[in-house]
Amino acid sequence: YLVLAFVLAFFSLIYWSVLECWFGQTLGKMIFGLSVEATKKKQVSYVQAVLRNITKLSLFLLSFDTLYMLLTKKKRRYLEVLSDTQVVVREGYHE
């Protein structure tokens, strides 16, 4: 089971990172009209995508990341700040 957990975690990280790097969004972000952008340029690099998604592999890290977002004024996750990325609403998408 431990090997299966590591394999699933690895492929999950690849899924989030590759889609955010290549397309700027995952399937869920496409549905909700969101995308990921680098704060200094439009295209997110693969390293940035991996860094911003690494917390999804650990409940502890994800909790810390979410708590940071809830307690700061800019409402960005800690690893979004470190990776210089942000989630934005796509142009032309209306709530």
Side-chain angles (χ1 to χ4, degrees):
Y1 291 113
L2 188 59
V3 172
L4 180 61
F6 280 114
V7 169
L8 288 174
F10 174 76
F11 282 110
S12 295
L13 184 61
I14 295 296
Y15 163 80
W16 287 310
S17 301
V18 167
L19 288 181
E20 286 184 357
C21 178
W22 289 356
F23 304 110
Q25 52 193 177
T26 58
L27 182 59
K29 285 182 182 71
M30 288 177 197
I31 291 169
F32 289 103
L34 304 171
S35 63
V36 176
E37 292 181 352
T39 56
K40 296 184 176 138
K41 56 180 180 156
K42 285 280 190 185
Q43 181 83 19
V44 175
S45 73
Y46 188 71
V47 172
Q48 286 175 304
V50 169
L51 182 58
R52 65 174 271 106
N53 288 301
I54 201 86
T55 58
K56 295 175 183 171
L57 301 180
S58 164
L59 184 59
F60 173 75
L61 292 175
L62 186 59
S63 299
F64 170 76
D65 215 19
T66 304
L67 186 62
Y68 179 87
M69 177 183 69
L70 294 173
L71 297 175
T72 58
K73 290 182 182 182
K74 292 190 177 187
K75 303 299 179 202
R76 288 176 58 208
R77 294 182 5 239
Y78 182 69
L79 284 181
E80 283 184 332
V81 174
L82 285 180
S83 65
D84 289 324
T85 60
Q86 61 189 357
V87 175
V88 296
V89 177
R90 286 187 319 211
E91 291 182 30
Y93 185 84
H94 300 286
E95 296 178 27

